[in-house]
Amino acid sequence: METNNILVRPIITEHAADIADRYNQISFEVVRTANKYQIKDAVESVYGVKVDKVHTSIYQGKLKRRGSSIGRKPNWKKAIVTLQEGDVIDFFATE
């Protein structure tokens, strides 16, 4: 699997910003078939930082209704990446 296809998007919420400040952890939505080693390599190659740990979890898709029809959002995988001391990923940096 290509390293640029593993990371779907960074998760930017208040909780994600809080754990980034406190524990130097960044959250990503990743492809469901990716393992921890592939996620670590992808983050290191795309952002140029050193990764210490990777935690993953699979989330169930929510049930959605639109009128009388009922559907379901797809399941997705979240990776919480702990960066080594001194490394930072800033998604809102202006140059």
Side-chain angles (χ1 to χ4, degrees):
M1 183 178 295
E2 297 285 330
T3 57
N4 57 354
N5 295 336
I6 292 175
L7 302 175
V8 177
R9 67 181 177 95
I11 298 174
I12 302 171
T13 60
E14 289 182 18
H15 182 261
D18 188 39
I19 65 170
D21 292 339
R22 287 187 185 186
Y23 307 112
N24 203 21
Q25 295 177 337
I26 307 295
S27 301
F28 292 97
E29 181 181 344
V30 295
V31 176
R32 286 210 39 212
T33 57
N35 60 29
K36 292 182 180 186
Y37 302 110
Q38 292 171 335
I39 295 167
K40 178 181 177 180
D41 292 339
V43 171
E44 286 179 348
S45 67
V46 170
Y47 294 105
V49 294
K50 289 289 184 184
V51 174
D52 194 24
K53 296 178 187 176
V54 177
H55 297 279
T56 59
S57 56
I58 296 176
Y59 287 84
Q60 296 295 319
K62 295 180 180 180
L63 238 103
K64 293 292 181 181
R65 285 188 55 173
R66 186 170 179 105
S68 61
S69 63
I70 299 174
R72 187 173 199 88
K73 287 190 155 193
N75 299 341
W76 60 286
K77 189 173 194 175
K78 178 180 179 180
I80 299 175
V81 177
T82 304
L83 303 177
Q84 286 186 352
E85 195 67 35
D87 286 339
V88 176
I89 298 175
D90 190 12
F91 296 112
F92 300 109
T94 57
E95 297 181 61

